[in-house]
Amino acid sequence: MKRFLLCLVVFAPVLLEAQSLTMEQVVRLAQDSTIRAHMSESSVEASRWEHEQFLALRRPQLTLSLTPGYQKMTFEPNNYFFKSRNYDMFNGFTELRLEQKALGIGGEFYASTGLLFTQYFNNTDPARLFSSVPLGIGYSNGLLSYNPFKWEKKIADLKLREADLEYVKELGDIALEAVTLYVNCYTAVSRYEICDRNAEVARTLLSIGREKYDVASVSKNELSALELQSLNAENALFDAREQLESARASLFSFLRIQDNGQPLDLSEPEVPEYRLFNLDEVIALARDCNPARIRSQEQTVSAEQQVRKARIQGRFLQSAIDLNVGLQSTVAQFGDFYQDQKPFMIGNITFKIPIFDGGLARSRTKAAESSLEYAIRAEQETLRDLDLQVSLALRQFNIQQDLIQRTSKALTLADESFDLARELYSEGETDINTFILSQNRKDEAHTNYLNSLRAYFKSLYTLKMLCGPEL
């Protein structure tokens, strides 16, 4: 029962020549070629570029801006206050600005150099001016205020971690489905081979029985038993053929291949050696690679961010600072704007004291604290559900390990018993009913072994899917 011949379709979109496939090869093929694998790869790639975009915005940003403009204002000439303010002018401003977020303390540092050109058209003297700021350095931020940068970094890192783990989990899901379909197909081929052999034996025995019946060597009852055995074998063969076609179609559809009659040998899945896992270690592995846990952790951090923001913004006094220092000059000739530079300093400190907000700050803080409490409890519930799922999966795996060993031993005994019964029946030392009973026991042992083989690999790859490739 090591290899069984199976005709598969093996071309577009994935082309395979006649070859022997193992379960591991099918898993790799599924993880490389299925639509789910391509979708998962695209999703994690998008998440990685989003994280790269986030990091890029935290690096220095250098920009060049050009701003041309035209203004014309006319007031009543009798209005003494506005008479001297009538103007008709064109201006253009260009600035090269370097900005860097102050990640540790919040706010933003910036350095810039700029030039303003102004042309007047209403006989103003001088008619043309050049204003320059060769160097300006500034910083703006709220004093003792909420710093969003450290929270954004935590959340962005968790999102990237979640995307990577989601991709690994999806590959595990694909491997689990590929293994299930492969073992189903192997089981269907094996069952078809068994039924085909049983049908051939039943036809042979029926032919011999009829010959013996004609010479009165067997009774009518024995002949009827042989006819029934042959009919049951043919029905089982028909059912096995239908199950084989269904299993083969499911495997081909999943791997995106079609049947063109090329032969393919499916190797019997090799059962690994008996393994004992420590529950605490398995749970630790599952927690470390579970995207749902990272997602709940991300929600908790986001809720903590909102609590921090609400508490700071709800203080009695809020303040902000904006400081800008540098050099500047205004001249009438283009070549003179770097001469006679004058230092300047502009500083603003803003204080904001809420007098009455109708309970806005308090309600906003309470809402954020309630959201945080909900997120913490949801994260704890996620961990409990994950631990339970892992413990049940490990328990099921241990059961299937024991079961596969027992069914394998039972299969060996059933084969030996059937060989003996067949030999005794051929020598006329036993009747047909004993032979049929031995054959049925052999078939049952084969069926139990194949079912336990399917359940074993399903439990194994379910545990791998939960705990990651490190298991």
Side-chain angles (χ1 to χ4, degrees), residues 54-55 58 148-158:
F54 166 79
L55 295 178
R58 300 167 72 87
F149 298 142
K150 66 176 184 179
W151 295 100
E152 291 173 355
K153 181 66 167 59
K154 290 181 180 179
I155 295 175
D157 291 343
L158 287 174

Side-chain angles (χ1 to χ4, degrees), residues 74-84 86:
T74 305
F75 298 94
E76 291 293 334
N78 295 331
N79 190 324
Y80 176 80
F81 180 76
F82 289 107
K83 183 175 182 180
S84 62
N86 293 343

Side-chain angles (χ1 to χ4, degrees), residues 186-458:
Y186 172 81
T187 301
V189 174
S190 178
R191 184 169 180 267
Y192 177 80
E193 293 285 339
I194 294 171
C195 291
D196 186 50
R197 288 196 301 268
N198 290 344
E200 182 64 27
V201 171
R203 285 191 294 267
T204 302
L205 291 177
L206 179 59
S207 177
I208 297 173
R210 284 172 177 169
E211 293 177 358
K212 290 184 178 182
Y213 179 76
D214 292 339
V215 296
S217 296
V218 296
S219 65
K220 177 63 176 177
N221 185 42
E222 288 181 315
L223 181 61
S224 298
L226 289 173
E227 290 176 344
L228 179 60
Q229 177 72 6
S230 178
L231 180 60
N232 289 338
E234 294 294 341
N235 292 337
L237 179 61
F238 177 81
D239 182 63
R241 184 183 297 110
E242 292 299 317
Q243 292 186 13
L244 173 58
E245 292 297 328
S246 177
R248 184 172 61 186
S250 298
L251 180 62
F252 294 159
S253 176
F254 181 69
L255 297 178
R256 303 173 66 197
I257 58 180
Q258 297 176 343
D259 192 356
N260 63 355
Q262 294 293 330
L264 184 66
D265 289 332
L266 291 183
S267 300
E268 179 180 358
E270 182 178 354
V271 178
E273 295 182 358
Y274 195 91
R275 306 172 67 185
L276 288 177
F277 294 104
N278 181 274
L279 178 59
D280 293 335
E281 293 178 358
V282 172
I283 289 178
L285 284 175
R287 286 188 173 189
D288 187 59
C289 68
N290 185 262
R293 186 190 71 86
I294 301 299
R295 191 181 307 115
S296 63
Q297 185 178 352
E298 172 193 335
Q299 293 171 353
T300 301
V301 173
S302 179
E304 291 176 349
Q305 175 192 20
Q306 295 304 317
V307 170
R308 176 65 176 171
K309 181 179 180 180
R311 287 176 177 175
I312 290 180
Q313 292 181 347
R315 288 175 176 171
F316 175 72
L317 176 64
Q318 298 181 31
S319 60
I321 183 173
D322 191 340
L323 179 64
N324 188 4
V325 297
L327 301 172
Q328 67 174 356
S329 67
T330 301
V331 296
Q333 299 295 325
F334 178 78
D336 298 337
F337 58 76
Y338 278 124
Q339 299 179 8
D340 194 22
Q341 294 289 325
K342 303 296 183 182
F344 74 90
M345 181 176 67
I346 302 175
N348 295 312
I349 299 180
T350 303
F351 296 98
K352 183 178 180 181
I353 303 175
I355 303 300
F356 176 76
D357 65 355
L360 174 62
R362 181 175 181 274
S363 60
R364 184 164 49 198
T365 301
K366 291 297 182 181
E369 290 173 347
S370 298
S371 298
L372 175 59
E373 183 179 358
Y374 175 83
I376 292 175
R377 292 181 177 179
E379 183 177 359
Q380 294 172 348
E381 187 67 21
T382 299
L383 289 177
R384 282 195 294 268
D385 292 343
L386 177 61
D387 293 349
L388 177 61
Q389 187 179 9
V390 172
S391 62
L392 292 177
L394 181 59
R395 178 175 179 271
Q396 183 65 23
F397 173 72
N398 291 332
I399 291 174
Q400 295 305 324
Q401 279 198 119
D402 295 334
L403 185 60
I404 192 69
Q405 290 185 342
R406 291 197 298 268
T407 55
S408 178
K409 184 177 180 180
L411 177 59
T412 302
L413 294 175
D415 285 338
E416 293 175 354
S417 177
F418 174 73
D419 292 339
L420 179 60
R422 181 174 54 185
E423 181 179 351
L424 293 175
Y425 181 74
S426 64
E427 295 175 356
E429 298 181 9
T430 187
D431 59 9
I432 185 61
N433 291 327
T434 303
F435 174 79
I436 292 175
L437 178 61
S438 178
Q439 185 181 50
N440 291 339
R441 287 174 177 173
K442 176 183 72 73
D443 293 346
E444 182 181 3
H446 276 268
T447 300
N448 291 338
Y449 174 76
L450 293 173
N451 289 338
S452 64
L453 191 69
R454 181 191 298 112
Y456 170 81
F457 280 103
K458 181 178 180 181

Side-chain angles (χ1 to χ4, degrees), residues 127-141:
R128 180 178 299 170
L129 291 175
F130 296 92
S131 298
S132 66
V133 180
L135 178 63
I137 300 175
Y139 172 74
S140 62
N141 186 26

Side-chain angles (χ1 to χ4, degrees), residues 50-119:
E50 288 178 1
H51 188 264
E52 182 62 29
Q53 178 183 358
F54 166 79
L55 295 178
L57 292 175
R58 300 167 72 87
R59 302 185 185 110
Q61 305 291 313
L62 182 63
T63 57
L64 176 64
S65 61
L66 301 172
T67 308
Y70 174 76
Q71 301 180 39
K72 183 175 183 178
M73 300 292 292
T74 305
F75 298 94
E76 291 293 334
N78 295 331
N79 190 324
Y80 176 80
F81 180 76
F82 289 107
K83 183 175 182 180
S84 62
R85 295 174 179 264
N86 293 343
Y87 56 84
D88 182 8
M89 68 178 184
F90 169 83
N91 56 35
F93 177 71
T94 179
E95 180 186 40
L96 185 64
R97 185 181 181 94
L98 178 66
E99 300 174 344
Q100 172 62 58
K101 291 180 172 62
L103 304 179
I105 58 176
E108 181 180 82
F109 290 101
Y110 57 88
S112 64
T113 178
L115 176 64
L116 173 65
F117 165 71
T118 304
Q119 175 68 55

